[in-house]
Amino acid sequence: MANGNGKVGLKERLSQAGDHIRTSQVWTSIFRPGSPFRHGYTDSPRNRSYVIMNNVLYHLHPVKVKRHAVRLSYTLCLGGLSFFLFILLTITGIFLMFYYRPTSPQAYLDIQALSTDVAFGQLVRNMHRWGAHLMVLTVFLHMARVFYHGAYKPPREFNWVVGIVLLLLTLLLSFTGYLLPWDQLALWAVTVGSNMGAYAPVIGDQVSFALIGGVQITPDTLLRWYVLHVLFLPFIIVVFMAVHFWRVRKDGGISGPL
Amino acid sequence: MAGLPDHLLRRSAEARAKAEGRDVEEILAEMKGEAPPAKAEAAPAAEPAPAPPAESTPPPVAPPASGNGARNLEAESADTGVPVPLLQRAMEARAKKEGRELVTAGAPAAAAPATAEAPASAAPAAAPAAPPAIPEGVTTQRLLTVVKAGAIQQVKTSPTDKVSVWPHLLAIEFVALMAVTAFLIIFSVFVDAPLLEFANFNEQPNPSKAPWYFLGLQELLSYFDPQVAGVLIPTLGAVGLAIIPYVDKNPAVKPADRKLAIMIFSFFLFASAILTIYGSFFRGPGFNFSFPWVDGIFFDF
């Protein structure tokens, strides 16, 4: 303990304090048994199991996976990255919501203000936009990867269907967000895009009317798509993602039954 | 004890010999249902023999006079189909429980010669622990049995080579997340998201393009009726994708065994990619064909 002159050194004090914190009731209540952050964690096969089993990650991953499944070249992490991009988009999206009002001139002015008045505003907006495009890409590539591995075969047929729904929801999320900057690009891209849907027989006009809140895009559409973009579609996609991940675990895990 | 390998019998006999302090050979002989060797005389002497006179046992017919439950086991066995040794054991057990003396009427016939020769000791009463020799043609059962090669549990899946998720998979995932985050931040620092002029309903830019993931469809609009390109094809595309697992009945996952499926899927994949790229970069004003390196790029991300 003593460092020669009878005093307790700073290093020992720090390590003592660390031990004290990590054995405290608060700390042990946060980190369940088996957590690497717990006092006295040692690397053993048993503890490696506990790290997953006693963790919220157990919802996503089993304790062990097949060796070939962890090869990066097998899944390319595309499914996981899609999920991670969704989280990233949620975080940056919430940030953007603090500075954005979905009304006609104000929306555009708020986006402009992001790049001039708001600290890191432009950066976060860029991340949100590029992240969204990247997510469309990763979801699409994830689908292609799953197809080429034949990973939709029994018992995983239904999870493929859920995945297709997730792809469509991703496209819808991206499309509804496209209008929000309320500039020429947003307005006319959405006009072209939604005109295509309006050609649907029988229900086309009604669906189009309900979605854009009128016969053509107006400032009302902005509010409507804003609510769809930040509330309704994320809610739906989270539900489908939960089912998707749960089925991945139940149907054999990543890279499943081969 | 038929069918038990000799070495197992011997081991069992040795164990019992050790426990009871008797001779191994004697117990072994007892187990095999043979007459114990001559030394066996010592054994009954050690036990407090209730000893009905040994000479009285041989008669095959029960002395009816006993009156305390003596039975003709052979006759009973013939009636009920229960092997004599079992009847014998049951009787012994009951006698013990009720505290009565055991009276055996019909000692098993096959055992008779052996017991007769041996000096009176192998008689059931003298050594209740020793089962009588098994008569010819009677099969006995024991719970203990020798299980030959082959596991009791049926193992359906062969063990696979697995690794712990922590740290192997989680480490890879963490690195992947960090890499994507870094890429996104750096890309966002250098490339700004587009922001054109304020939305103007009266001034449509030329060309007007949908978001890039719909540009394949918009490209189709140049060739087909909107009902086909805007509605029919995307609907068929989405439904077609969703029903792939129910149409593709081929259970194989090896690429070599599912060439047709891969061919069809790749065809649509490349078709949509080509249409998207074509619509994005090779369509200029009026959505007419243009080379991006001649007329410039009419594409906003």
Side-chain angles (χ1 to χ4, degrees):
Chain A
M1 278 295 179
N3 59 359
N5 55 10
K7 287 182 181 171
V8 179
L10 182 64
K11 213 172 176 183
E12 278 99 41
R13 274 173 191 269
L14 280 178
S15 99
Q16 276 173 11
D19 282 353
H20 190 69
I21 291 172
R22 294 200 296 149
T23 50
S24 71
Q25 188 187 359
V26 174
W27 191 272
T28 50
S29 73
I30 295 172
F31 298 103
R32 304 199 65 220
S35 165
F37 301 112
R38 267 214 168 195
H39 185 69
Y41 176 83
T42 50
D43 189 24
S44 67
R46 187 160 172 265
N47 275 344
R48 286 181 176 197
S49 304
Y50 274 140
V51 171
I52 301 298
M53 237 190 293
N54 284 349
N55 192 298
V56 69
L57 279 177
Y58 201 37
H59 286 287
L60 294 180
H61 284 313
V63 166
K64 288 191 167 190
V65 289
K66 294 183 199 107
R67 189 178 288 279
H68 75 89
V70 301
R71 282 203 335 258
L72 190 62
S73 59
Y74 192 83
T75 63
L76 300 170
C77 277
L78 286 169
L81 285 184
S82 305
F83 179 45
F84 178 67
L85 283 170
F86 176 79
I87 293 171
L88 220 54
L89 287 167
T90 308
I91 295 169
T92 52
I94 290 171
F95 176 89
L96 295 175
M97 281 172 75
F98 290 136
Y99 303 101
Y100 179 81
R101 278 158 286 188
T103 55
S104 178
Q106 201 59 52
Y108 182 77
L109 299 176
D110 286 341
I111 298 290
Q112 270 189 329
L114 273 175
S115 54
T116 54
D117 299 352
V118 180
F120 298 110
Q122 181 70 51
L123 178 71
V124 177
R125 174 165 122 79
N126 292 348
M127 284 177 69
H128 194 75
R129 192 172 186 99
W130 304 135
H133 287 319
L134 194 59
M135 183 177 164
V136 173
L137 203 66
T138 55
V139 170
F140 191 78
L141 292 177
H142 174 58
M143 180 193 72
R145 196 281 295 175
V146 167
F147 179 88
Y148 285 118
H149 278 139
Y152 55 84
K153 311 230 162 171
R156 303 192 278 179
E157 309 101 309
F158 184 66
N159 215 16
W160 169 271
V161 179
V162 175
I164 298 298
V165 173
L166 284 173
L167 171 67
L168 297 180
L169 285 170
T170 306
L171 291 179
L172 277 179
L173 268 165
S174 175
F175 192 51
T176 50
Y178 218 86
L179 181 68
L180 302 186
W182 204 237
D183 61 347
Q184 281 290 73
L185 175 64
L187 176 64
W188 293 102
V190 169
T191 305
V192 172
S194 55
N195 275 352
M196 285 194 259
Y199 287 111
V202 189
I203 54 162
D205 288 342
Q206 283 80 358
V207 169
S208 169
F209 190 90
L211 276 180
I212 64 179
V215 290
Q216 63 169 17
I217 291 176
T218 63
D220 289 341
T221 317
L222 191 57
L223 176 60
R224 194 162 294 216
W225 284 35
Y226 175 73
V227 173
L228 287 176
H229 183 74
V230 304
L231 210 63
F232 180 73
L233 290 172
F235 172 71
I236 301 289
I237 203 172
V238 162
V239 171
F240 275 91
M241 281 198 300
V243 175
H244 197 64
F245 301 156
W246 181 77
R247 283 301 294 251
V248 169
R249 288 276 272 110
K250 288 290 161 185
D251 293 343
I254 60 169
S255 86
L258 252 183
Chain B
M1 257 151 284
L4 270 185
D6 272 347
H7 69 280
L8 285 185
L9 262 183
R10 174 162 286 279
R11 202 163 65 185
S12 174
E14 278 167 4
R16 192 189 286 182
K18 197 176 170 194
E20 298 180 4
R22 290 160 67 192
D23 188 59
V24 177
E25 295 301 327
E26 178 194 342
I27 293 173
L28 199 61
E30 219 171 72
M31 283 174 150
K32 284 181 178 169
E34 291 163 3
K39 261 194 278 178
E41 270 178 89
E47 293 171 18
E55 289 74 23
S56 71
T57 37
V61 184
S66 315
N68 59 349
R71 297 181 297 186
N72 185 337
L73 292 185
E74 273 187 342
E76 237 175 270
S77 170
D79 278 350
T80 57
V82 180
V84 175
L86 289 186
L87 285 174
Q88 170 91 23
R89 203 162 65 186
M91 210 164 69
E92 280 169 10
R94 182 176 298 169
K96 197 176 170 193
K97 192 178 160 198
E98 296 176 3
R100 279 186 296 156
E101 213 177 30
L102 179 67
V103 179
T104 317
T115 39
E117 268 177 53
S121 57
I134 302 155
E136 199 69 38
V138 174
T139 44
T140 59
Q141 295 170 345
R142 280 170 63 99
L143 287 178
L144 178 69
T145 181
V146 176
V147 180
K148 297 225 175 89
I152 295 175
Q153 279 183 321
Q154 232 186 340
V155 181
K156 280 180 183 162
T157 51
S158 51
T160 47
D161 190 15
K162 288 192 167 184
V163 293
S164 295
V165 167
W166 168 263
H168 299 289
L169 181 57
L170 289 189
I172 292 173
E173 284 179 341
F174 182 74
V175 171
L177 302 192
M178 289 301 108
V180 167
T181 311
F183 166 77
L184 205 57
I185 290 177
I186 291 171
F187 191 81
S188 299
V189 166
F190 292 107
V191 186
D192 278 349
L195 186 66
L196 309 185
E197 313 83 66
F198 181 68
N200 185 352
F201 290 96
N202 299 314
E203 189 194 328
Q204 182 166 10
N206 186 13
S208 299
K209 290 189 177 183
W212 64 272
Y213 35 81
F214 288 150
L215 278 182
L217 291 176
Q218 196 178 349
E219 178 63 25
L220 283 176
L221 272 175
S222 333
Y223 313 116
F224 299 108
D225 183 81
Q227 295 260 7
V228 176
V231 180
L232 195 63
I233 290 178
T235 309
L236 282 183
V239 173
L241 276 176
I243 63 169
I244 282 179
Y246 304 100
V247 175
D248 179 13
K249 295 287 187 189
N250 176 9
V253 290
K254 270 197 226 152
D257 298 336
R258 42 196 293 265
K259 285 180 182 153
L260 180 68
I262 287 182
M263 245 165 59
I264 296 174
F265 187 81
S266 301
F267 170 78
F268 284 110
L269 202 67
F270 282 108
S272 54
I274 289 170
L275 283 173
T276 304
I277 291 171
Y278 195 86
S280 303
F281 301 114
F282 293 87
R283 288 290 182 178
F287 215 64
N288 293 316
F289 179 82
S290 76
F291 284 112
W293 52 86
V294 177
D295 307 306
I297 294 177
F298 298 90
F299 176 71
D300 276 306
F301 213 38

